[in-house]
Amino acid sequence: MQRVRDHQDRAAFSDLFTHFAPRIKGFLIKSGADATMAEECAQDVMTTLWRKADQFDPTRASVATWIFTIARNRRIDMLRRQNRPEPEELPWGPEPEPDQADVIALQQDSVLLTEALKTLPAQQRDLIEKAYFGDLTQSEIASLTGLPLGTIKSRIRLALDRLRHLMK
């Protein structure tokens, strides 16, 4: 290791590689990695060993300890990368303009819904407004109004049924 560190000796690195690469792969497989991941990780560890050989200090750790510490850390890094969800593809640029027929239909539905809401009994309309426009849960509405949760659920269900009928 000292020849690799001090002189970038390729023959010494080849000897280290021949000795440690299969052991690293075995160590990683025993720790739960599949063969492909273990092979990839072992290659990465040996590349790191070559690039960072100047950081090896024999007074702090043996060669094997240093190399297997790198292997352990690489394994952890790979597991973290595997468990991290891929970010969604975000579209760039402005969104396309909606179809005018859809816009008109939505406006008409909004007017129809506003009129339908006006026909609801005040108690039902109030609960629908709190639930859908105030973003409150039924439990929060029950706490806020002092009404039993079952009453809240019944009134909202009845109001939605009535709105569904009026919107047809």
Side-chain angles (χ1 to χ4, degrees), residues 13-135:
F13 178 74
S14 177
D15 292 342
L16 282 173
F17 192 95
T18 303
H19 179 77
F20 281 106
R23 287 169 176 78
I24 293 169
K25 185 177 176 183
F27 166 74
L28 294 169
I29 289 173
K30 284 180 185 174
S31 68
D34 63 17
T36 305
M37 177 188 260
E39 181 71 31
E40 183 180 330
C41 195
Q43 293 288 331
D44 189 43
V45 168
M46 295 311 291
T47 303
T48 301
L49 182 132
W50 176 258
R51 282 193 336 264
K52 297 190 177 197
D54 62 320
Q55 295 178 6
F56 173 68
D57 182 0
T59 62
R60 293 181 64 200
S62 69
V63 175
T65 301
W66 188 63
I67 291 173
F68 280 98
T69 300
I70 294 170
R72 180 185 151 276
N73 292 340
R74 283 294 180 270
R75 166 99 167 104
I76 292 168
D77 290 344
M78 287 182 151
L79 286 172
R80 286 181 182 153
R81 265 186 253 126
Q82 275 183 339
N83 292 333
R84 186 171 296 148
E86 290 294 320
E88 289 181 26
E89 189 67 34
L90 298 176
W92 292 99
E95 291 187 22
E97 287 291 320
D99 184 37
Q100 288 303 312
D102 292 338
V103 172
I104 292 170
L106 187 59
Q107 288 173 340
Q108 290 171 344
D109 285 347
S110 294
V111 169
L112 190 58
L113 179 61
T114 302
E115 293 304 314
L117 281 169
K118 289 178 185 176
T119 67
L120 291 177
Q123 296 169 334
Q124 290 178 358
R125 182 176 54 249
D126 183 50
L127 295 178
I128 290 291
E129 287 172 353
K130 283 180 171 66
Y132 291 95
F133 302 123
D135 277 337

